[in-house]
Amino acid sequence: MTRVYFVRHAQPEHDHEDDRTRPLTAEGRADAKAVCQFFRHMETVQKKEDIRDREYSESRKIDRFYCSPYRRSLDTIAETAAFYGQEIITDERLREREKGPDGNNYGMFQKRWADHDYHEEGGESLRMVQERNIAALQDILRANEGKNIVIGTHGTALGTILHYYDNSYDCDSFLRIIDWMPYIIELDFQGLELIGKREHLHIEKEFRGKARADKAQSGKQLLYGTGNQAKLAAMRRALSPLGLRIIGLGDIDRNRFTVPEVTEDGTTPLENAEKKALAYYKAFRMPVFSCDSGLYFEGVPEAEQPGVHVRTVGGKVLTDEEMQKHYIGLAEKYGDLKAVYKNAVCLVIDETHVYKVMEKSMESEPFLITSRPHKDGVRQKGFPLDCLSVHIGTGKYYYDMEEGELDRIAVEPGFVEFFRKYFSVF
């Protein structure tokens, strides 16, 4: 198998007119260090004996570096290449789309993705970009079979590559990543055939193209049925490309409304999400969505699975300290627990438009619950399991992960696709 890590460049100086020599901003240069840190952690994770997902923790030594000849892409992966003692091989075919005088605005995005042969005067069509990028990629795959490769790339160039292997990749898919600078996605190949893909790091930095109608077109308000500010902030970041204004229960005017107490006694996350969303819609008569999660362990008997009762054991609601003790006991009994949160969401727009889903795309990344707590103990009230939760890919405790990394764990792509699907109805 050949692994290719595509690295979209970090934030560039948008006011720099020359596309080829456009440098990174100061923030972009700092974020390029995060790219290097990602690959350094990936290199060393194989040495961590407590990482149980062996398929994912096998060696990730990078064998070759390829890149667009544009400065912003080169600068994003330069430190990583130096860490591995590798030169960066540039290929003109990997460059970004040639654009005309008005190429980066919402209307042009829509036109190009609707018709891959369309291009403005002086610019390239998506098909032109795709053909040269795929030709370069296939040459790289033929020359590096069985190796691990990094390719420095761009937003549109990468979008056309992803569309080549999945024709459902469209303008909305592209707009989902437009503010992700840098962004790392892994594509796995057997020969020239794509056999798997996995998103890794992304850091959100605003793309400052002209007429950002994708951000300003809506302004519609949507209530998220939670009083948890951390969850609210993460969901706002995840749904920002849709232009929705997300408010939480803490934003409700208590002089006008009474926030109902909802008993979460469903047997699945989906039942609880629906129950909450319907109760909040009835109380406030505004579009609302609610989420719920269940915690599930690999290799643990059904009777000891937390499911939706993460904080309740034997009918007793546990304190943070009691929760920590209980899950440490499970991890000691069965060994470090490979865990996953199964998530559900219910959206109520009005009485006749109720949408709900619980599917694989909404599950968290697998992670470990360990019997060895973080050195700081329970650091955040209400989140006692974070001091026991370890990210499989990096071996880091959740407490030691950056905000953007935690967002990718807490808010999976399935959530964004769910709201994108029903955006026109709303």
Side-chain angles (χ1 to χ4, degrees), residues 2-32:
T2 307
R3 281 193 177 91
V4 180
Y5 296 91
F6 286 94
V7 182
R8 189 211 181 174
H9 60 76
Q11 185 187 50
E13 291 282 4
H14 292 282
D15 293 335
H16 187 95
E17 291 297 327
D18 187 344
D19 211 21
R20 182 173 290 267
T21 61
R22 185 173 298 144
L24 299 178
T25 64
E27 288 185 42
R29 292 192 296 273
D31 291 338

Side-chain angles (χ1 to χ4, degrees), residues 15 42 98 118 121 134 201 203 212 214 220 240 243 290 326 346 377 379 392 416:
D15 293 335
M42 188 180 67
E98 296 288 345
Y118 172 82
E121 184 178 353
I134 290 297
L201 172 76
I203 298 175
R212 281 301 301 276
D214 61 303
K220 296 173 182 176
S240 62
S290 286
H326 173 71
C346 179
R379 194 167 66 194
I392 290 175
V416 181

Side-chain angles (χ1 to χ4, degrees), residues 201-202 394 396 400-410:
L201 172 76
H202 80 259
T394 62
K396 293 193 290 187
D400 296 328
M401 298 181 73
E402 298 295 327
E403 185 179 77
E405 294 177 293
L406 286 173
D407 279 359
R408 289 188 296 282
I409 296 168

Side-chain angles (χ1 to χ4, degrees), residues 303-306 309-318 322-323 326-327 330:
E304 294 186 89
Q305 290 286 355
H309 306 293
V310 179
R311 190 177 278 272
T312 304
V313 177
K316 179 185 177 183
V317 179
L318 304 181
E322 290 170 335
M323 274 187 75
H326 173 71
Y327 287 100
L330 281 180

Side-chain angles (χ1 to χ4, degrees), residues 122-391:
E124 285 184 291
S125 70
L126 294 187
R127 196 175 310 282
M128 294 173 185
V129 180
Q130 183 183 75
E131 287 176 352
R132 56 177 170 77
N133 271 269
I134 290 297
L137 173 59
Q138 291 181 346
D139 285 349
I140 290 169
L141 291 172
R142 292 187 186 98
N144 296 278
E145 188 171 357
K147 298 185 182 299
N148 297 323
I149 310 298
V150 166
I151 296 180
T153 186
H154 304 265
T156 301
L158 176 58
T160 65
I161 292 170
L162 296 174
H163 176 270
Y164 179 84
Y165 295 102
D166 177 6
N167 61 16
S168 69
Y169 192 97
D170 57 11
C171 187
D172 286 341
S173 307
F174 168 71
L175 291 175
R176 171 178 170 258
I177 71 166
I178 196 169
D179 289 323
W180 293 1
M181 296 178 282
Y183 166 48
I184 301 175
I185 183 170
E186 170 190 339
L187 270 59
D188 299 333
F189 294 89
Q190 202 75 52
L192 300 182
E193 179 186 357
L194 179 69
I195 60 173
K197 63 181 177 181
R198 185 195 301 259
E199 289 187 321
H200 293 293
L201 172 76
H202 80 259
I203 298 175
E204 190 161 338
K205 289 289 191 298
E206 185 178 7
F207 174 83
R208 298 172 189 162
K210 299 176 183 177
R212 281 301 301 276
D214 61 303
K215 288 238 175 174
Q217 63 185 341
S218 168
K220 296 173 182 176
Q221 181 169 283
L222 181 60
L223 172 65
Y224 178 16
T226 183
N228 185 308
Q229 292 301 307
K231 291 181 179 179
L232 178 62
M235 194 65 76
R236 282 172 172 165
R237 288 190 292 269
L239 300 183
S240 62
L242 302 185
L244 294 169
R245 178 172 175 257
I246 309 294
I247 64 171
L249 293 178
D251 300 308
I252 295 295
D253 184 348
R254 303 305 173 101
N255 294 321
R256 295 179 56 204
F257 299 103
T258 299
V259 178
E261 292 287 338
V262 183
T263 303
E264 299 178 40
D265 54 3
T267 59
T268 67
L270 188 58
E271 289 179 8
N272 283 334
E274 182 178 16
K275 187 172 185 179
K276 289 186 288 185
L278 290 171
Y280 295 137
Y281 178 79
K282 183 178 180 180
F284 310 127
R285 293 292 168 178
M286 68 175 68
V288 58
F289 72 96
S290 286
C291 304
D292 200 66
S293 300
L295 179 61
Y296 300 87
F297 297 132
E298 185 179 283
V300 173
E302 183 67 29
E304 294 186 89
Q305 290 286 355
V308 295
H309 306 293
V310 179
R311 190 177 278 272
T312 304
V313 177
K316 179 185 177 183
V317 179
L318 304 181
T319 65
D320 284 1
E321 291 72 22
E322 290 170 335
M323 274 187 75
Q324 183 185 27
K325 183 177 179 180
H326 173 71
Y327 287 100
I328 286 175
L330 281 180
E332 289 175 340
K333 181 177 180 180
Y334 295 104
D336 286 353
L337 302 164
K338 189 173 181 181
V340 67
Y341 283 107
K342 295 183 179 181
N343 301 307
V345 59
C346 179
L347 169 65
V348 181
I349 296 173
D350 54 39
E351 289 87 348
T352 59
H353 295 90
V354 179
Y355 308 98
K356 55 185 179 178
V357 70
M358 177 177 170
E359 59 185 26
K360 186 76 173 177
S361 67
M362 291 183 173
E363 291 183 6
S364 72
E365 292 183 16
F367 63 101
L368 298 181
I369 294 286
T370 179
S371 61
R372 300 173 296 283
H374 189 279
K375 59 182 176 60
D376 293 344
V378 179
R379 194 167 66 194
Q380 187 173 359
K381 185 175 176 57
F383 294 87
L385 294 190
D386 279 3
C387 75
L388 305 177
S389 299
V390 175
H391 186 250

